[in-house]
């Protein structure tokens, strides 16, 4: 049993009740917390930063109602999943989810990822293509293009400055949990359109980031994203990702995203050699699936149900 020490939230903070079930599933040598609803073809939902599985609350219910088995995952280091000291690179993260799909009893799944989860999805589409039936990436341009766009638009790319701010030792983690994770709330507001998040949503993400080690683990992913650019593993990663993906892909981006500019979405079709679609969501910032859930849910159901999708 997990006990709460003082007023610091523990992993029970992410065990939110609803029309779903919570499970711990072992894959790749660690345990993942997953939240599952519905029956049918498997759809795996991968959250971004600074969030956890509950970012997909609206999609879990919509997809299960549409005849899918929706499984939202706490990524390695987040929520109620294990928080090992290593493994916060995209190669490992992609292997994590490919292994998780097999443990869930399926040969493949539709993978839907936002932000960091989207980068993991892109990586799976190249490194583990047999595990990905279809891909939906939200607010996460292809890793090769993201690196290029960040350099080209450095003076307007807020994401670059946010990424640089996470590179110093210890301070980012301390800032993320200080004042009951006030920095998490500020990021959610700053990266979205006005009117989101509501008080309950903000509180859930603030509590989730105060779970011991979550802040550190979440930052480690972003340290790898930046530092690997100057190391052999990063070079190998980008070289591998230059191979066009063989997975049908839908890309969704908020028109008002201040973190990653919508311009970064242009030209992504060159990274996919099969059906590809781009959809921009009006009135949405960096979190379109939460800011405009009805629109995004409709896009997801249409894409996932269209086995003969064309560009």
């Amino acid at each position: 049993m997990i006990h709460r020490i003082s007023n610091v939230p523990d992993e029970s903070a992410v065990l939110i009740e609803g029309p779903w079930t919570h499970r711990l599933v072992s894959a790749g040598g660690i345990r993942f917390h997953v939240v599952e609803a519905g029956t049918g073809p498997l759809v795996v939902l991968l959250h971004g930063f600074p969030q956890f599985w509950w970012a997909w609350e609206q999609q879990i219910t919509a997809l299960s109602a549409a005849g899918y088995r929706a499984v939202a995952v706490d990524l390695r280091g987040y929520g109620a999943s294990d928080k090992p000291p290593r493994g916060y690179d995209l190669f490992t993260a992609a292997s994590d989810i490919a292994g998780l799909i097999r443990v869930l009893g399926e040969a493949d799944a539709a993978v839907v990822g936002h932000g960091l989860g989207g980068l993991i999805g892109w990586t799976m589409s190249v490194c583990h293509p047999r595990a990905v039936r279809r891909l939906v990436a939200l607010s996460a341009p292809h890793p090769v293009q993201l690196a290029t766009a960040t350099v080209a638009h450095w003076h307007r790319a807020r994401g670059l400055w946010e990424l640089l701010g996470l590179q110093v030792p210890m301070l980012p983690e301390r800032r993320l949990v200080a004042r009951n994770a006030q920095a998490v709330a500020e990021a959610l507001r700053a990266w979205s359109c006005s009117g989101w998040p509501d008080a309950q949503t903000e509180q859930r993400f603030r509590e989730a980031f105060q779970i011991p080690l979550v802040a550190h683990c979440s930052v480690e992913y972003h340290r790898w994203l930046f530092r690997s650019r100057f190391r052999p593993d990063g070079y190998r990663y980008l070289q591998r990702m230059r191979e066009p993906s063989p997975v049908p892909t839908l890309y969704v981006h908020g028109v008002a995203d201040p973190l990653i500019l919508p311009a970064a979405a242009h030209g992504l079709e060159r990274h996919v050699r099969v059906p590809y679609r781009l959809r921009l969501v009006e009135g949405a910032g960096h979190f379109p699936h939460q800011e405009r859930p009805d629109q995004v849910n409709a896009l997801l159901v249409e894409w996932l149900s269209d086995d003969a999708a064309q560009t």
Side-chain angles (χ1 to χ4, degrees):
M1 180 179 294
I2 300 172
H3 296 282
R4 183 169 295 205
I5 301 175
S6 184
N7 293 319
V8 177
D10 57 34
E11 292 179 355
S12 65
V14 304
L15 304 181
I16 302 165
E17 295 184 0
W20 44 63
T21 58
H22 294 268
R23 297 172 57 192
L24 287 175
V25 180
S26 295
I30 66 173
R31 295 177 307 164
F32 290 92
H33 171 232
V34 302
V35 178
E36 182 173 349
T39 58
L42 178 62
V43 181
V44 173
L45 303 161
L46 308 177
H47 65 83
F49 173 89
Q51 304 192 304
F52 67 107
W53 75 264
W54 197 73
W56 300 109
E57 173 207 14
Q58 305 251 14
Q59 285 69 45
I60 294 171
T61 54
L63 290 170
S64 61
Y68 294 94
R69 179 188 179 194
V71 176
V73 183
D74 278 336
L75 298 176
R76 172 190 291 250
Y78 279 88
S81 291
D82 282 351
K83 302 164 185 66
R86 290 176 292 278
Y88 299 97
D89 59 277
L90 291 178
F91 278 131
T92 301
S95 295
D96 281 347
I97 306 305
L100 180 64
I101 290 169
R102 292 191 295 271
V103 172
L104 290 171
E106 300 291 344
D108 59 28
V111 175
V112 182
H114 167 256
L116 171 63
L119 296 180
I120 294 171
W122 280 114
T123 305
M124 291 179 68
S125 75
V126 173
C127 298
H128 302 276
R130 294 183 179 178
V132 188
R133 185 173 65 253
R134 284 179 176 272
L135 172 66
V136 182
L138 297 90
S139 310
H142 187 279
V144 173
Q145 184 146 324
L146 180 62
T148 302
T150 299
V151 172
H153 303 285
W154 65 269
H155 56 298
R156 294 189 298 135
R158 181 170 185 163
L160 173 61
W161 303 111
E162 298 283 357
L163 183 64
L164 290 174
L166 296 174
Q167 302 309 310
V168 298
M170 296 185 290
L171 291 179
E173 293 95 321
R174 293 177 180 175
R175 179 174 177 271
L176 281 169
V177 299
R179 297 176 296 155
N180 295 321
Q182 178 64 25
V184 170
E186 291 171 354
L188 294 174
R189 294 193 213 107
W191 301 348
S192 62
C193 284
S194 60
W196 189 88
D198 59 61
Q200 182 189 57
T201 298
E202 177 184 310
Q203 184 60 26
R204 292 215 190 277
F205 291 123
R206 291 176 73 164
E207 288 186 356
F209 255 71
Q210 293 176 75
I211 296 171
L213 296 179
V214 167
H216 172 70
C217 294
S218 71
V219 171
E220 286 294 278
Y221 284 106
H222 294 85
R223 287 177 175 144
W224 182 86
L225 282 172
F226 179 76
R227 297 175 186 179
S228 66
R229 296 287 305 278
F230 311 103
R231 301 194 308 239
D233 59 326
Y235 175 79
R236 287 193 299 270
Y237 174 76
L238 287 178
Q239 287 298 110
R240 180 71 183 275
M241 292 305 296
R242 294 185 191 281
E243 301 174 17
S245 167
V247 176
T249 300
L250 168 66
Y251 185 74
V252 179
H253 204 105
V255 170
D257 188 343
L259 187 68
I260 300 176
L261 300 178
H266 299 315
L268 287 178
E269 64 274 4
R270 71 171 65 98
H271 299 289
V272 184
R273 66 170 185 255
V274 289
Y276 167 84
R277 288 180 185 167
L278 167 65
R279 295 293 183 266
L280 299 177
V281 180
E282 295 286 345
H286 188 63
F287 309 95
H289 55 308
Q290 294 177 278
E291 298 174 62
R292 295 292 182 267
D294 292 343
Q295 294 180 44
V296 172
N297 290 346
L299 291 173
L300 292 179
V301 172
E302 178 189 18
W303 176 249
L304 296 176
S305 64
D306 185 6
D307 290 334
Q310 299 295 320
T311 55

